[in-house]
Amino acid sequence: MGVWHRVWRAVRASTHPTVLALVLLAAPVMAVQPDEILDDPRLEERAREISKGLRCLVCRNENIDDSNAELARDLRLLVRERLVAGDSDEEVVDFVTERYGEYVLLNPTTGGSNWILWGAGPAMLLIALGIGLTYLRRRSRGEETTLSAEEEKRLKEILDR
């Protein structure tokens, strides 16, 4: 039995179901502070939806609602500020994007120069498939490369050591 299997069995045997339930319930806790929450439930819901698509610039791949970073708090307050001022969801996202750059979006746009990034993966895959197919075709034709007399002599020296 492997080491990890034994560790898993020990953890599983010693973990009380109540502890496991508490850990699972604590997972979705948001970083939004009570003083940030708007009085209007509709505006708060809009703010949460917008925040799901905005990246914490400190934590990288975490949205600003899940982050405890001070900058994420500032962004949450900015989003709510703009909503209270009467901006639409798109205007809020455009404002934040204009201020912090497109990196703040968890799902970047597919327009402009981003087409290069979006297309690079599939393009590399097609190139790799083309190279692989070319290699397999040449190999199946029986085009074998033969060694020169000097190369065979050197190979024999290496193998005889």
Side-chain angles (χ1 to χ4, degrees):
M1 183 176 347
V3 173
W4 292 113
H5 188 326
R6 279 184 261 150
V7 169
W8 172 245
R9 281 182 49 198
V11 167
R12 205 174 68 202
S14 65
T15 305
H16 194 274
T18 307
V19 173
L20 185 60
L22 289 174
V23 168
L24 292 175
L25 287 174
V29 173
M30 301 293 182
V32 178
Q33 303 298 315
D35 63 325
E36 298 174 25
I37 297 173
L38 296 171
D39 294 331
D40 184 353
R42 283 193 194 135
L43 283 180
E44 182 60 31
E45 182 62 32
R46 285 176 55 201
R48 297 282 178 123
E49 281 302 312
I50 293 170
S51 296
K52 285 180 186 176
L54 297 176
R55 176 192 321 271
C56 173
L57 299 171
V58 176
C59 308
R60 307 279 168 110
N61 285 332
E62 190 172 33
N63 69 42
I64 61 174
D65 267 357
D66 294 338
S67 173
N68 287 318
E70 195 63 33
L71 182 58
R73 176 180 165 77
D74 293 344
L75 282 170
R76 289 191 301 267
L77 291 172
L78 177 65
V79 166
R80 284 162 174 75
E81 211 174 273
R82 301 301 300 180
L83 287 173
V84 169
D87 288 0
S88 69
D89 294 2
E90 292 80 23
E91 289 172 331
V92 173
V93 172
D94 290 344
F95 180 82
V96 173
T97 304
E98 185 177 308
R99 194 165 183 185
Y100 292 97
E102 198 169 318
Y103 181 72
V104 77
L105 300 176
L106 276 173
N107 296 316
T109 61
T110 56
S113 61
N114 283 347
W115 275 111
I116 296 169
L117 295 174
W118 285 99
M124 296 301 257
L125 177 65
L126 292 174
I127 290 170
L129 285 173
I131 291 171
L133 288 173
T134 303
Y135 170 76
L136 290 174
R137 280 188 178 169
R138 285 187 182 164
R139 198 176 83 176
S140 68
R141 285 188 204 150
E143 294 178 17
E144 295 181 22
T145 55
T146 57
L147 298 176
S148 66
E150 185 178 313
E151 291 170 331
E152 283 186 32
K153 180 181 173 187
R154 177 72 180 133
L155 179 62
K156 187 172 183 172
E157 288 174 12
I158 292 172
L159 292 175
D160 286 342
R161 282 186 194 175

